[in-house]
Amino acid sequence: MSDDELKKKIRESIWEKMERLGIARFPKPIYGRIPNFIGADKAAENLRTLREWEQAEVIFVNPDSPQLPVRAFGLIDQKKVVMATPRLRKGFVLLDPARLPTKNYWKVVTIRNAIKYGMLVHPSVLSIDIKITGSVAVDRDGGRLGKGHGYSDLEFAILREYGAVDDATLVITTVHDIQIVPHVPMNENDLPVDIIVTPKHIFRTNTRYRKPKGIILDLINKREVEKIPLLKELLSKKVN
């Protein structure tokens, strides 16, 4: 079985199991998504206990539903929160609690309202302390599996190209305990995780996997380049 076939099998197994056990939450169906789960808020609360969270000033959080509490707690704890716009079409949006016109942080951190209340920023002006990402499955060695579109990996690669992240940037995921599997196959462009936070546990992976160094030209879909201005900008610099 190829790595791609194994990844597909793991994803489908997690989605099926979460639905069957009644762990999955809205939005449904969870198939094809970063699955929302019962206990996502508790996992976010556990994340807040980390010393790295306390010290962080700027956090990057994915826009998916299970990480909504993470984004809200970030603003509540007076951190700047950076999010990706859908499919990276408009790049990245910054939510600064000191500049928001409302203190209803739970309302602000939906993707629609983040674009409304936040401001679009170029990654060259960012310095990210922690990248929090959603996952379909992870393993205790730091292997991570997303929903299959590669956007979390691409986000990190773009941020890396502009100096907003580096090898020392902590990558954390919040998941349900059943999303931890024995092994996730990893490629050089895949983003590993340093810490896994669940409703019950916190695991430090001490991962041996290296974080992506940047954009790998051979792996870029040319059709996507035209749809993602930041990617087009980067590739034009590499070519020239």
Side-chain angles (χ1 to χ4, degrees):
M1 183 181 296
S2 70
D3 282 354
D4 285 344
E5 290 172 332
L6 181 55
K7 288 180 177 181
K8 183 175 184 290
K9 183 177 180 180
I10 293 171
R11 288 187 186 99
E12 291 176 347
S13 173
I14 292 295
W15 288 326
E16 186 278 330
K17 189 174 183 180
M18 293 181 77
E19 290 278 20
R20 175 167 46 86
L21 295 179
I23 293 168
R25 293 175 59 184
F26 176 85
K28 289 188 176 185
I30 62 170
Y31 294 86
R33 301 179 189 270
I34 297 296
N36 199 4
F37 58 93
I38 292 173
D41 50 349
K42 176 57 179 174
E45 289 174 3
N46 288 344
L47 174 56
R48 295 174 84 187
T49 69
L50 294 175
R51 65 178 183 275
E52 291 91 346
W53 172 275
E54 182 179 352
Q55 296 167 356
E57 297 180 359
V58 183
I59 61 172
F60 187 107
V61 191
N62 60 299
D64 300 278
S65 295
Q67 282 71 47
L68 186 147
V70 176
R71 301 192 297 272
F73 286 146
L75 295 179
I76 289 169
D77 292 344
Q78 297 301 295
K79 304 180 188 304
K80 294 178 181 177
V81 176
V82 181
M83 298 169 59
T85 59
R87 297 183 179 272
L88 286 170
R89 298 296 188 258
K90 295 184 178 180
F92 304 113
V93 61
L94 172 67
L95 295 169
D96 183 346
R99 297 187 177 187
L100 291 174
T102 175
K103 300 304 179 185
N104 186 352
Y105 296 141
W106 292 89
K107 175 183 177 181
V108 169
V109 293
T110 64
I111 186 59
R112 179 178 298 179
N113 284 336
I115 294 173
K116 176 181 178 181
Y117 291 108
M119 61 179 180
L120 295 175
V121 291
H122 194 274
S124 61
V125 304
L126 296 173
S127 180
I128 307 297
D129 297 311
I130 299 175
K131 186 181 192 299
I132 295 118
T133 183
S135 305
V136 174
V138 289
D139 66 38
R140 291 283 296 275
D141 294 321
R144 173 193 171 271
L145 193 58
K147 56 191 173 186
H149 298 155
Y151 283 107
S152 190
D153 307 322
L154 184 57
E155 289 162 7
F156 191 92
I158 291 174
L159 291 168
R160 181 105 186 211
E161 292 280 359
Y162 285 106
V165 297
D166 56 27
D167 282 333
T169 305
L170 202 67
V171 179
I172 303 175
T173 192
T174 58
V175 294
H176 193 277
D177 290 86
I178 71 164
Q179 292 175 259
I180 301 176
V181 299
H183 176 66
V184 172
M186 293 285 283
N187 300 319
E188 63 176 325
N189 62 306
D190 292 332
L191 180 66
V193 296
D194 298 297
I195 300 178
I196 301 166
V197 183
T198 79
K200 297 180 180 179
H201 302 101
I202 296 175
F203 300 110
R204 293 181 181 269
T205 68
N206 299 310
T207 185
R208 70 181 188 277
Y209 299 118
R210 301 185 67 177
K211 296 180 174 76
K213 291 295 183 183
I215 299 297
I216 302 175
L217 294 176
D218 293 342
L219 299 179
I220 295 298
N221 185 321
K222 292 182 179 179
R223 287 179 295 180
E224 285 298 304
V225 172
E226 297 302 318
K227 299 176 183 178
I228 303 175
L230 279 173
L231 196 54
K232 188 174 184 179
E233 175 185 306
L234 274 172
L235 293 188
S236 66
K237 289 182 179 180
K238 285 180 175 288
V239 171
N240 297 329

